[in-house]
Every structure is written in structure tokens, then in C-alpha cells.
Amino acid sequence: MTAKNLLVELFVEELPPKALKKLGESFAAALAASLKKDGLAADGAQVTAYASPRRLAAHVTDVAAVAADKPVVQKLMPASVGLDAAGNATPALLKKLAALGADESAVASLRRESDGKAEILFYDSLAKGATLADGLQKAIEAALAALPIPKVMSYQLADGWSSVNFVRPAHALVALHGSDVVPVSVLGLQSGKATKGHRFEAAVDPVVIADADSYAETLKRDGAVIASFAERRAEIARQLAAAAAQAGGKPIDDDALLDEVTALVERPNVLVGQFEEEFLAVPQECLILTMKANQKYFPLLDAAGKLTNKFLVVSNISPADPSAVIGGNERVVRPRLADAKFFFDQDRKKSLESRVIGLSKVVYHNKLGTQGERVQRVAAIARAIAEALGGGELVQHAEQAALLAKADLLTDMVGEFPELQGIMGRYYAQHDGLNADVADAIEDHYKPRFAGDSLPRGKVGTVVALADKLETLVGMFGIGQIPTGDRDPFALRRHALGVIRMLAEGDLNLAVDSLLNGVFAQFNGIEGFAPNPQALADFIYDRLAGSLREQGYTAQEVDAVVSQRPQRLGDIVKRLAAVRAFSALPEAAALAAANKRVGNILKKADGAVEARVDAALLREAAESALHAALIDVVPQADAAFLTGDYSESLLALAALRAPVDAFFDGVMVNADDPALKANRLGLLAMLHAAMNRVADLSRLSA
């Protein structure tokens, strides 16, 4: 039977907007997957998802009315059990066949096949292909069950007795195979051709879908609904750009807001509203956030990125005269902006410094004390880091910024909009007349907030951000709150990556181990706190390795460098470049393999081996040659290393290939004479130290 295209739509009450995109994608994918599994949809069938505020739908190409019959192979039992000596079926075999819907007549057609131990009987049959009605019923039920719905609601059906559970009450079901209705039912609904269009602007009610392929066009024409989420989103973006250009600005770029608004309207109509310019005296972050979060508006910015007193509304209706809609939105936004202005004015009546004492009443963590105690730790850590980076004015500013960094948590504005923490602290610090670097650091100490976020803009901000993130990492590790699997409630992975980026990209002269030890010391005396700097260091270097692999370095290159636990992370990129250049040398593979061999020999030695050689005990020409080569090469490699020229340091090692090969070909390391053996181990230890200063070259060995 010729395949046709299939359309399924579930018409419901308004769906959760933030979940709509995923709901639509999940519904279409699960429906198609079930149809393909049953052989009703071709493997190459194209699936199109539709999702609007009041519908979930899927269009699937190449769907058969009946699936092809499937061959079924049933393993029965050993032939010795199923057949007697005369070749007749035993009662056990007949019982098994009866369970499969066959009788004694099938015995003659049974297939025999050896499994290596015995001859086995197999029954080959054809299973009837599923009908579309049955397969689609199963597919819809599976698709609804798989929807990523956090909470469902229970509602009563039209009969007054039955009730069902779903994310929102459903009111209509369309299921069309070509132009034919597929008889299925779900959530108390029987399938048909009729759906509903726009609540207010549909040309007809109900909207009748003639066939599967005319679904989107019919809804747009008769129902005033753009069913495709992607098409509706693109139309909103186009209208936003056009309206903004006409108003002389540009809309704020926010993909999450665009997705949410797309999920709120069925036929978008972008309008321009405005508010009084006096509100622009409030920090623009506050105004932008209240317009986006509370009203779903797109604030308009000027060419310099500064907020204007205009905003864009994505309306769900298109009246001939939009003035009433615009006026209504302007009236609604005004109280929101007035609240923001009130909070801003009230907050500035108290200085940030006067608020710090209040942090002692705010619990940070029941095992780590209050925010006030935490601030004192962060300030002490910041002071120590600043002293290590040069001291002087940096110490004073970093300590002051650290003490004030959390004070804005007690302001009305941050209480209303937690997303503004740090940002408002900077504004209030500026109002208090504080140093510009201190004010910037109060905002920047949260950076980087996410992957790809900018780093703190100055040295003071970097110091406080490092102190804040290290205090969090050390504190949480000390009380056993270590991330496991997907669980990371305190975002410690993000904090670790932030520390790594600041140390590496800022090329800060700070050693990881001493930095962590200093932070752990700030937690002395806290009951139940268990210092474990090694575990935290492992965690940081693991994050570092993952980050470097994501940047395109090979696993071997990363392993070679990170396994050495370089203390200055600013050197990492130079070390990786040096390893990559070394790997391209013709001598690299042999030296890496030799280094691995040397490492294994030294591990098996009794006790620690000192990298020291007595020239008088060099008996073989090959060991003398290797020693001479080391005497020549090591100073060159060390000199390059000390100047930070890691590539040159590794390139110098290429001269060691021939003497190393000759040594292993002609010298017995484990000599019978203990003095000779110790001397040769010392020579290998000298070689090992020289070859592993920049990176562990043995990790480059296959």
C-alpha cells in the first residue's frame, strides 16, 4: 500500500512557555521513533515538529497504512528433546508449538541448526505487520508519556465522571493519514479533522484540516496561527529588527526571552511603547531586567548600547488601531519602573559599609557560618593574594572590595532582583565615592559567571574573584560537598574553571598548591571541617585537562603537561605548544618510548634514586657517551626552561636520541656490582629529570 504523510495534533490549553520548545521537539521525536520501530514509518522519514501556546503537533513523511510482515525466528529446544527416535514430535514440542499458535503440522517445517553443542529446533514464521491505527495509538501514548513535564494536573472529562492527567486540559485531537482520519483516542478525545485557531482572530471556528500536508498553511490562513515554533520565532525576530530600526534603536539580544515570547503568542505583532525619561536615571540593568522578567518586553538600546525610553511589545493580537494595546502596556510597565526607582533611591540612603554588619545575621551555610564570617575569610584570602602579586595599594583595595562585595545582598534592589547582585554593589560603591577599582571589583568578583563570560576587568577584581571562588571551593570540599556525577549544587566545577581561567589567562605568578594551602588555613577552628588540599587540587587539574581538550589539544598532549602538575597555570599554553613542536620531531617517538622505559626501571628500583653520577664508575662506552651528552644538553635545556622558552628546552633533548638508544642496546642497568648498578640508575634518574621538566614525555608514547 502506498505510503502517505501523517499529521497528529493535540490541541490543549496554554502550555508552560519556558517548556514549550522542548515539549514540541519531544512529542514529534517520540511519535516518529515509535512509528519507525513498528515499521510504519520509513527509516528516512522526515519529521517536522510544531508547537504553539495551545498545540503540539508532528508531521511525518512516508507512513504506511499497514507495516510489512516481519519474519520471526523462535528458538524452541534441542532436537533430542523435541523429537523421539522415530522423528516424531514429543509432547514438550507440541506444547511449545501450541503456545506459539501452531500445531503438529508445523513439525515438518522446523529448521535444525547446531549451536556448537547440540542440534537446536527453530520455528520460522511471519508476524503480521501493525496497522496504522494500532501503531499510532501506541505511538501517541508513548509520546505523551515521554514528554518532559515536571508536574501534571488532573482534570475531569466531559462525561463528568472520568478524569485524566496531563500538563494542561486537552480539547481536540487531529490524526490524518493523507486526508484520511486515523481512528485513535487519547485523554478522552477521539481523533478527527477539526482543531481551533487563534482565540480572537481565527477566520473560522473550528478550523478543518483537509489533509496532513495542508496543516500549517490551513492554520495560518483560517486559524491565524503560525504553528511552527521556528517560523514564529523567525517572524518575531524580523519584526523586532524592523520596529527597532523604525524607532531608531536596536532590541536587546536575548535568546531565552525570544524563545519564551515565541511560546506565548500564536501570531506575533510587534509594537513600540515608551516610558518617561526620568526613569533612565535608574541603572539600566534594573530597568532592563524588570521589563524582561516581569513584562516580557524587549528594551530598546541606542547605537552605543545605552537604554532608551522605548521598548518593544510582542502582542498576540493585531487590531487596526493598536493604540489601546500600546497604552495598556505603557500603563502596566510604569509601576514596575517606579518600583525600581524607589528601591534605587532607598538603597542609596545607606552606605555599603554600613550594611556589612548585617551580613553576620545571614546564614551562608550551617557548617561554615554566616555571610559575615565568610566575608572575613574572603578578605583575608584576597589580602594574601594581593601581597603575593605585589602588595602596596593592591592589598588595600582588594581587602576593601572583598569586605564590601556581599553588602548589596541586603539592599532592596537585590532582594527584588537577585540577578543584580554585584552590579548594584558597583553602583552603590560609586555613589559612596569609593575608588573606581574597588567599585569595579565589587561587580566583577562574580566573574566569570559562565563559560565564555568575561574575566574581571582589573587586578583588584581578579584578586577578589579568585578569593571568593577559592573560599567557596575550599569550604565545600572541607565539609564533603564534592560534586558527584551530574550533581553540583554549589557550581564548584564552574568555580574551578573560573579560577583556572584567571590564573592562566592572567598569567598570575601564583603557585596552585601554596594558594590552596593558604586558603585552607583560613578555615582553621571550624568544627567538622576536614582539610583535603590534595583532593581539591586533583579536582582543579581534572577541570583544567577537560578544558584544554575542549580547546583542541590532544589527550596525549594534555596528559603530558597536566600530569606534571605545573604550579603556574599561565605557562600551560606555552608548555603545550612546546610538546606539540617536540612531537613533530623525528626523534620524538623513540625518546618518548625511552622515557617510559626509564620511568619503569626507576619505579622498580629499591628506594629513591638520586640523579647523581660518579664518572669513575662509567665502564661502558655507551654509558660514558650518554653521560657526556647529558652534561652537554642539560645546561642548554635548563637555561631555556628558566627563561620560559619551553619549546627550545624540549628541542635540545633531540640530541639525546642516539646516545639513549646506544645505552639501552649495550648497557646492562641491573649489573651484578651494586656500585655499578647504583651509578647507572643515577644516570637514568639524571636523564629522567632532564626529559620531564616541561612535560612527562612518556605520555606521548603510544
Side-chain angles (χ1 to χ4, degrees):
M1 192 173 290
T2 306
K4 300 177 185 177
N5 295 341
L6 175 75
L7 184 282
V8 177
E9 184 210 68
L10 184 65
F11 179 77
V12 298
E13 294 182 13
E14 277 75 4
L15 292 160
K18 291 185 178 179
L20 180 64
K21 186 179 180 183
K22 287 185 178 179
L23 291 175
E25 292 168 350
S26 172
F27 180 75
L31 187 83
S34 182
L35 293 173
K36 289 178 181 180
K37 184 178 179 182
D38 284 344
L40 288 162
D43 288 339
Q46 299 297 309
V47 184
T48 304
Y50 296 98
S52 84
R54 298 200 296 160
R55 71 201 74 238
L56 297 174
H59 182 273
V60 187
T61 62
D62 298 323
V63 177
V66 180
D69 294 344
K70 289 183 179 180
V72 178
V73 177
Q74 185 71 43
K75 183 178 179 180
L76 300 177
M77 58 188 67
S80 58
V81 176
L83 301 173
D84 60 19
N88 298 316
T90 63
L93 178 59
L94 293 175
K95 184 177 180 181
K96 182 70 172 178
L97 288 171
L100 297 173
D103 55 23
E104 192 171 359
S105 63
V107 174
S109 63
L110 295 181
R111 182 166 49 88
R112 300 186 184 198
E113 191 175 308
S114 175
D115 66 353
K117 295 181 181 179
E119 196 171 54
I120 306 297
L121 295 174
F122 290 87
Y123 175 53
D124 298 330
S125 61
L126 279 177
K128 283 288 183 185
T131 65
L132 180 56
D134 290 340
L136 184 57
Q137 180 69 45
K138 185 172 77 171
I140 293 175
E141 291 173 356
L144 295 184
L147 288 177
I149 304 170
K151 289 179 70 176
V152 297
M153 62 180 291
S154 179
Y155 62 94
Q156 201 171 56
L157 298 180
D159 61 15
W161 296 98
S162 308
S163 64
V164 293
N165 297 319
F166 194 52
V167 59
R168 294 291 186 271
H171 296 296
L173 176 66
V174 176
L176 293 175
H177 187 226
S179 59
D180 301 323
V181 174
V182 184
V184 290
S185 62
V186 69
L187 301 175
L189 303 170
Q190 298 296 322
S191 58
K193 288 190 168 189
T195 185
K196 296 271 189 183
H198 194 286
R199 278 192 184 275
F200 311 111
E201 300 185 354
V204 296
D205 185 31
V207 177
V208 178
I209 311 299
D211 57 67
D213 292 344
S214 65
Y215 171 72
E217 181 186 346
T218 302
L219 261 181
K220 188 181 293 186
R221 183 189 66 237
D222 298 341
V225 171
I226 301 175
S228 166
F229 188 96
E231 183 182 345
R232 209 163 57 253
R233 190 182 193 275
E235 174 61 15
I236 293 173
R238 185 195 67 77
Q239 289 191 35
L240 286 171
Q246 190 172 2
K250 59 180 180 179
I252 196 159
D253 186 17
D254 190 323
D255 284 342
L257 179 61
L258 185 54
D259 281 344
E260 188 173 0
V261 170
T262 302
L264 288 168
V265 298
E266 292 188 308
R267 187 173 72 169
N269 178 32
V270 174
L271 304 170
V272 181
Q274 64 181 22
F275 54 85
E276 290 78 2
E277 289 191 3
E278 66 185 70
F279 290 119
L280 294 177
V282 179
Q284 70 176 42
E285 293 90 344
C286 309
L287 304 181
I288 289 171
L289 186 57
T290 192
M291 283 191 278
K292 291 197 309 181
N294 295 317
Q295 305 304 132
K296 314 305 175 192
Y297 297 157
F298 286 81
L300 269 182
L301 309 176
D302 63 19
K306 188 177 179 181
L307 182 67
T308 69
N309 68 323
K310 294 179 180 178
F311 59 91
L312 302 180
V313 181
V314 183
S315 174
N316 195 36
I317 56 176
S318 304
D321 179 7
S323 60
V325 177
I326 295 171
N329 281 282
E330 289 176 344
R331 285 193 299 275
V332 168
V333 76
R334 199 168 290 121
R336 295 287 189 183
L337 302 181
D339 285 347
K341 185 176 186 304
F342 174 78
F343 293 146
F344 185 55
D345 291 341
Q346 289 298 112
D347 286 342
R348 288 183 296 170
K349 292 178 180 179
K350 291 179 65 176
S351 68
L352 281 179
E353 188 175 1
S354 69
R355 296 179 186 275
V356 172
I357 192 170
L359 293 172
S360 62
K361 299 177 183 177
V362 180
V363 175
Y364 167 57
H365 191 284
N366 61 350
K367 293 183 179 179
L368 296 174
T370 66
Q371 280 284 8
E373 292 170 317
R374 181 178 182 234
V375 160
Q376 293 299 323
R377 290 194 294 268
V378 173
I381 297 165
R383 183 170 57 247
I385 293 174
E387 286 172 349
L389 293 177
E393 194 175 67
L394 179 61
V395 175
Q396 176 191 343
H397 288 163
E399 186 172 10
Q400 183 182 23
L403 288 170
L404 299 176
K406 305 298 180 183
D408 68 349
L409 296 177
L410 301 179
T411 63
D412 291 338
M413 189 71 84
V414 174
E416 180 72 12
F417 300 112
E419 303 93 328
L420 295 177
Q421 56 189 277
I423 295 171
M424 295 314 303
R426 176 173 173 270
Y427 279 108
Y428 297 143
Q430 290 174 334
H431 179 263
D432 293 344
L434 299 182
N435 178 275
D437 290 340
V438 173
D440 289 345
I442 290 172
E443 177 181 349
D444 290 353
H445 87 280
Y446 288 105
K447 293 180 179 180
R449 294 179 175 88
F450 49 85
D453 190 17
S454 60
L455 295 180
R457 69 197 88 179
K459 214 166 188 179
V460 178
T462 299
V463 169
V464 182
L466 265 176
D468 184 67
K469 287 172 174 55
L470 286 168
E471 194 278 342
T472 300
L473 286 164
V474 168
M476 293 306 160
F477 264 71
I479 58 173
Q481 294 291 334
I482 300 173
T484 56
D486 293 334
R487 275 188 52 80
D488 187 8
F490 298 100
L492 301 187
R493 293 185 179 94
R494 177 167 56 80
H495 283 302
L497 286 172
V499 169
I500 289 166
R501 283 190 60 196
M502 285 185 281
L503 290 175
E505 294 176 32
D507 194 16
L508 301 183
N509 188 21
L510 296 170
V512 173
D513 287 347
S514 61
L515 192 59
L516 294 183
N517 289 330
V519 178
F520 271 101
Q522 296 299 323
F523 289 81
N524 287 341
I526 295 179
E527 187 177 350
F529 185 87
N532 52 357
Q534 186 59 48
L536 180 51
D538 291 344
F539 180 76
I540 290 173
Y541 282 107
D542 283 346
R543 302 284 78 68
L544 172 63
S547 174
L548 293 171
R549 288 193 293 269
E550 289 175 2
Q551 293 173 43
Y553 296 102
T554 68
Q556 283 185 319
E557 290 168 346
V558 172
D559 196 24
V561 172
V562 176
S563 64
Q564 295 295 84
R565 296 294 184 93
Q567 291 298 296
R568 273 197 63 174
L569 300 191
D571 288 344
I572 291 289
V573 172
K574 288 196 293 184
R575 287 176 186 251
L576 285 164
V579 167
R580 184 165 286 182
F582 175 80
S583 298
L585 296 175
E587 299 89 352
L591 285 173
N595 190 41
K596 190 172 185 177
R597 183 175 179 182
V598 169
N600 290 333
I601 291 171
L602 293 175
K603 283 178 186 175
K604 294 176 182 177
D606 296 331
V609 178
E610 190 175 351
R612 189 174 64 182
V613 175
D614 182 350
L617 291 175
L618 297 173
R619 297 283 189 267
E620 304 289 343
E623 61 182 329
S624 295
L626 176 58
H627 182 249
L630 285 171
I631 294 298
D632 180 48
V633 166
V634 170
Q636 299 175 41
D638 285 352
F641 180 89
L642 292 173
T643 61
D645 192 346
Y646 301 129
S647 294
E648 186 61 34
S649 182
L650 287 183
L651 290 176
L653 300 178
L656 295 176
R657 177 182 175 177
V660 167
D661 288 347
F663 178 86
F664 281 117
D665 286 342
V667 178
M668 174 67 70
V669 176
N670 292 319
D672 293 333
D673 184 338
L676 284 180
K677 178 181 177 180
N679 202 53
R680 288 168 182 171
L681 286 174
L683 181 61
L684 291 183
M686 186 177 173
L687 172 65
H688 196 254
M691 294 180 72
N692 292 281
R693 196 162 185 191
V694 174
D696 183 352
L697 299 184
S698 69
R699 308 288 177 129
L700 301 176
S701 177

